[in-house]
């Protein structure tokens, strides 16, 4: 990578109209060798970014002690030595300019596919990845990179995620890793928070998918209301070449109007007139079959991942492949084998009386789709649901999820789900009132494993367990820490084996 000087960073931020004061103390030509806002990562020649509501001046002092030679901040700090500084009017708006310069604008060297919407982002990202990877393998190229709420793979690192869209500096580091690893494609989820707080500024998506919209992430620390949430989602179109929008989405007219900000618009969905039209949808054994028609083909497709609602996600992935002229045979093969860890993972007892579905569903739209689809696909099974809600955010989910689960379920188990600093009992009681309003029996059991075991071992007749929210995640957030724990998938396999053993005796 090309390295730039302190003066280069000052010039970049000045040109962006963000600088309110600066003093490089004669170090104009000093090269910047690192970029971070984590004082533990600072080293010789680092540009340190002072950001966040919890920022403390000591972090800057620690970074300088470790070798930081320039800091960018919204205010000046008194230090023991004269350290070059650039003061800006908005640190969040400044970071994308810093990242773009430091990492040499890696996004322009990638085929970048962004996925936005309230529900289905991770599933769609992995559907696209499966198609793209089949195509890349056929021409002898490396698999694509992915940044999702499930995990991150960039050619250098592969880690479990704890945030949908990383901060800009981490995001561009992943882009740079992908480019340096000779990776051509990258799929990523784009959250409303990322768009609202400038994490994806200065990035152009080659294709941006808009799946759907429903009220979510409304809280004092996220979006104050639905309008703020929706308008944040729509910002993605202003920085994309091809906007791919779902004709089945609520507020489609408004979405379509905003999509005009993109260079090109392609629609997908099951409504007549969609550019990528899905039709003749049916379940055959454990597969979902459907046809897709567009100006290039009219073909049969199949999904082995359950959930009739996933057809819309598949159509989105087909639309993305269409943009990149990927042959239809790779669309078919990719979708047929596609899996998203922790998404609609289905397990069954030996006697077939207990089916367990592990999924990340965690908001109103995803719950509505999951429960209604389950009722349609498994009409002979009683629904038992196991879920919780996170602490201190998206509080409207407690009403929505409690109501939907109560409407469809024979029984509900309310469990811990990243409670953070909020007492689990308080969260559970908030949810319980809405379950109770639907006259549905419920039980509050904080430990997810204990709840899954009880639901499996005490099930009567044919039961399908919908275990939602955590999928294959192996950590729970308590306070400000992530504590290791078995995943819902591990619990499910363990207790289904116990069930099978007890019923064979």
């Amino acid at each position: 990578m090309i390295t730039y000087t302190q003066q280069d960073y000052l010039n970049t931020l000045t040109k962006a109209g963000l600088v309110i004061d600066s003093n490089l103390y004669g170090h104009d030509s000093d090269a910047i060798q690192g970029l971070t806002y984590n004082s533990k990562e600072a080293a010789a020649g680092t540009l340190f970014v002072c950001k966040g509501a919890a920022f403390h001046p000591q972090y800057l002092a620690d970074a300088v002690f470790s070798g930081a030679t320039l800091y960018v901040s919204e205010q000046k700090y008194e230090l023991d030595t004269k350290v070059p500084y650039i003061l800006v009017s908005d640190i969040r708006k400044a970071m994308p300019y810093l990242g773009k310069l430091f990492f040499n604008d890696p996004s322009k060297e990638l085929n970048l596919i962004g996925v936005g919407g309230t529900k289905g982002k991770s599933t769609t990202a992995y559907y696209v990845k499966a198609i793209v990877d089949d195509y890349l393998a056929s021409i002898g190229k490396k698999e694509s990179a992915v940044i999702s709420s499930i995990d991150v793979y960039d050619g250098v690192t592969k880690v479990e995620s704890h945030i949908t869209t990383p901060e800009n500096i981490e995001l561009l580091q992943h882009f740079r890793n992908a480019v340096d690893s000779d990776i051509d494609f990258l799929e990523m989820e784009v959250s409303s928070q990322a768009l609202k707080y400038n994490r994806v500024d200065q990035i152009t998506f080659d294709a941006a998918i808009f799946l759907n919209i429903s009220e979510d992430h409304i809280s004092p620390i996220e979006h104050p209301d639905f309008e703020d949430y929706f308008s944040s989602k729509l910002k993605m179109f202003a920085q994309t070449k091809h906007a791919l929008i779902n004709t089945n989405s609520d507020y489609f007219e408004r979405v379509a109007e905003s999509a005009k900000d993109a260079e090109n618009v392609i629609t997908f969905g099951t409504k007549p007139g969609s550019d990528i039209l899905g039709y003749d949808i049916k379940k055959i054994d454990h597969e979902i079959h459907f046809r897709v028609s567009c100006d290039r083909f009219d073909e049969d497709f199949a999904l082995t991942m359950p959930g009739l609602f996933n057809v819309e996600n598949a159509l989105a992935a087909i639309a993305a492949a269409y943009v990149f002229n990927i042959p239809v045979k790779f669309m078919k093969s990719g979708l047929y084998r596609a899996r998203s860890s922790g998404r609609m993972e289905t397990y069954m007892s030996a006697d077939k009386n207990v089916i367990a579905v592990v999924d990340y569903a965690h908001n109103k739209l995803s719950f509505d789709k999951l429960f209604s689809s389950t009722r349609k696909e498994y009409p002979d099974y009683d629904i038992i649901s196991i879920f919780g809600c996170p602490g201190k955010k998206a509080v409207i989910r407690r009403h929505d999820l409690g109501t939907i689960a109560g409407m469809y379920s024979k029984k509900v188990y309310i469990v811990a789900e990243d409670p953070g600093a909020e007492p689990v009992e308080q969260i559970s009681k908030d949810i319980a009132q809405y379950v109770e309003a639907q006259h549905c029996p419920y039980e509050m059991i904080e430990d997810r494993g204990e709840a899954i075991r009880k639901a499996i071992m005490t099930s009567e007749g044919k039961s399908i367990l919908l275990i939602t929210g955590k999928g294959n995640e192996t950590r729970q957030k308590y306070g400000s820490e992530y504590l290791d724990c078995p995943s819902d998938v591990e619990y499910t396999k363990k207790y289904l084996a116990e069930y099978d053993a007890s019923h064979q005796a």
Side-chain angles (χ1 to χ4, degrees):
M1 288 197 310
I2 299 171
T3 56
Y4 293 91
T5 66
Q6 292 192 12
Q7 185 64 52
D8 291 326
Y9 286 90
L10 176 56
N11 291 344
T12 295
L13 294 177
T14 299
K15 187 176 180 181
L18 293 168
V19 176
I20 56 177
D21 189 23
S22 67
N23 195 331
L24 302 184
Y25 296 116
H27 292 275
D28 311 46
S29 61
D30 287 6
I32 294 298
Q33 305 291 343
L35 175 66
T36 188
Y37 54 81
N38 184 343
S39 59
K40 296 177 181 179
E41 296 177 356
T46 292
L47 188 164
F48 186 73
V49 179
C50 305
K51 83 157 192 81
F55 179 80
H56 192 281
Q58 186 59 46
Y59 301 155
L60 173 58
D62 292 344
V64 170
F65 179 79
S66 297
T69 54
L70 171 66
Y71 74 90
V72 177
S73 173
E74 291 181 359
Q75 69 179 81
K76 186 178 178 183
Y77 294 98
E78 295 301 323
L79 298 164
D80 293 336
T81 57
K82 288 184 177 180
V83 179
Y85 63 87
I86 303 173
L87 303 188
V88 295
S89 56
D90 190 322
I91 196 67
R92 287 198 165 276
K93 290 182 178 179
M95 282 198 294
Y97 288 97
L98 299 174
K100 184 176 182 179
L101 186 63
F102 181 79
F103 293 106
N104 294 189
D105 194 10
S107 64
K108 69 181 181 182
E109 300 180 62
L110 292 165
N111 291 304
L112 188 60
I113 303 165
V115 186
T118 301
K119 174 198 177 297
K121 292 189 295 296
S122 58
T123 297
T124 301
Y126 280 92
Y127 279 0
V128 176
K129 179 172 170 55
I131 293 170
V132 168
D133 287 354
D134 278 7
Y135 167 66
L136 291 174
S138 76
I139 57 176
K141 291 195 172 184
K142 294 184 177 179
E143 70 171 290
S144 59
V146 65
I147 299 173
S148 79
S149 54
I150 297 174
D151 58 15
V152 172
Y153 170 71
D154 64 13
V156 176
T157 60
K158 185 174 179 61
V159 295
E160 184 176 296
S161 293
H162 297 297
I163 188 171
T164 301
T165 311
E167 287 285 5
N168 180 267
I169 292 173
E170 285 102 337
L171 186 60
L172 292 187
Q173 177 68 74
H174 291 311
F175 288 2
R176 174 45 57 189
N177 286 348
V179 170
D180 290 347
S181 300
D182 295 322
I183 289 174
D184 292 341
F185 281 80
L186 186 149
E187 305 88 18
M188 64 175 287
E189 294 182 48
V190 185
S191 69
S192 59
Q193 294 284 287
L195 289 157
K196 180 176 180 177
Y197 293 113
N198 311 103
R199 294 180 201 161
V200 292
D201 283 8
Q202 303 300 304
I203 292 170
T204 298
F205 297 100
D206 294 283
I209 297 168
F210 190 96
L211 293 167
N212 44 55
I213 190 71
S214 178
E215 195 168 29
D216 195 23
H217 292 289
I218 312 300
S219 75
I221 61 172
E222 298 169 292
H223 299 280
D225 50 41
F226 178 68
E227 176 55 34
D228 186 74
Y229 174 63
F230 193 5
S231 59
S232 295
K233 290 278 190 189
L234 296 176
K235 288 181 179 180
M236 183 168 61
F237 294 130
Q239 52 194 98
T240 187
K241 295 176 182 177
H242 300 275
L244 316 179
I245 60 176
N246 186 1
T247 55
N248 296 98
S249 174
D250 287 345
Y251 306 98
F252 173 73
E253 291 75 15
R254 182 174 172 186
V255 174
E257 183 61 32
S258 293
K260 292 177 181 177
D261 289 338
E263 296 176 18
N264 180 43
V265 179
I266 296 173
T267 61
F268 64 89
T270 58
K271 288 191 174 182
S274 302
D275 296 323
I276 308 294
L277 176 66
Y279 67 101
D280 196 18
I281 302 166
K282 55 196 172 186
K283 184 176 180 181
I284 301 176
D285 294 327
H286 294 291
E287 297 180 353
I288 308 297
H289 289 250
F290 59 104
R291 287 189 68 84
V292 178
S293 173
C294 65
D295 62 355
R296 297 181 192 167
F297 58 81
D298 190 337
E299 297 276 355
D300 287 310
F301 286 78
L303 299 173
T304 53
M305 187 172 165
L308 292 169
F309 53 84
N310 277 320
V311 171
E312 288 183 24
N313 299 328
L315 293 172
I318 291 168
Y322 177 98
V323 165
F324 293 100
N325 294 308
I326 294 175
V328 69
K329 68 177 181 179
F330 301 116
M331 300 180 193
K332 288 186 175 188
S333 63
L335 288 173
Y336 191 76
R337 72 174 181 84
R339 285 289 182 276
S340 177
S341 179
R343 284 288 187 202
M344 295 300 293
E345 294 201 24
T346 303
Y347 305 91
M348 185 180 293
S349 62
D351 62 12
K352 298 184 179 181
N353 282 334
V354 180
I355 299 173
V357 177
V358 179
D359 190 59
Y360 282 105
H362 62 276
N363 57 39
K364 180 180 179 180
L365 188 56
S366 59
F367 254 51
D368 194 34
K369 294 281 190 180
L370 174 62
F371 280 78
S372 61
S373 181
T374 299
R375 174 66 58 81
K376 186 180 296 184
E377 292 183 58
Y378 299 93
D380 299 331
Y381 284 75
D382 290 324
I383 296 175
I384 309 294
S385 51
I386 304 168
F387 71 96
C389 286
K392 300 290 187 182
K393 66 177 186 177
V395 292
I396 195 172
R397 289 181 188 169
R398 300 175 194 187
H399 166 274
D400 295 338
L401 307 196
T403 300
I404 294 169
M407 287 171 57
Y408 283 92
S409 303
K410 181 180 180 181
K411 184 173 182 178
V412 169
Y413 290 88
I414 305 171
V415 296
E417 190 168 307
D418 295 321
E422 192 173 355
V424 175
E425 185 178 9
Q426 181 57 55
I427 299 170
S428 297
K429 285 181 177 178
D430 284 352
I431 299 169
Q433 63 181 313
Y434 302 111
V435 176
E436 191 171 24
Q438 300 299 318
H439 309 291
C440 177
Y442 68 88
E443 194 169 341
M444 297 188 299
I445 301 177
E446 179 174 344
D447 185 86
R448 298 180 73 92
E450 182 184 341
I452 292 169
R453 182 183 186 280
K454 187 168 185 179
I456 290 174
M457 300 304 293
T458 63
S459 64
E460 298 176 351
K462 289 185 174 183
S463 300
I464 182 162
L465 279 57
L466 301 183
I467 306 166
T468 66
K470 296 292 287 179
N472 234 334
E473 291 180 12
T474 57
R475 294 183 182 182
Q476 274 268 32
K477 186 178 183 182
Y478 278 88
S480 59
E481 296 184 11
Y482 285 92
L483 305 179
D484 292 338
C485 65
S487 70
D488 287 351
V489 169
E490 292 176 82
Y491 283 134
T492 298
K493 290 179 176 178
K494 177 180 179 180
Y495 296 125
L496 276 177
E498 184 178 322
Y499 173 93
D500 287 341
S502 68
H503 283 67
Q504 290 171 359

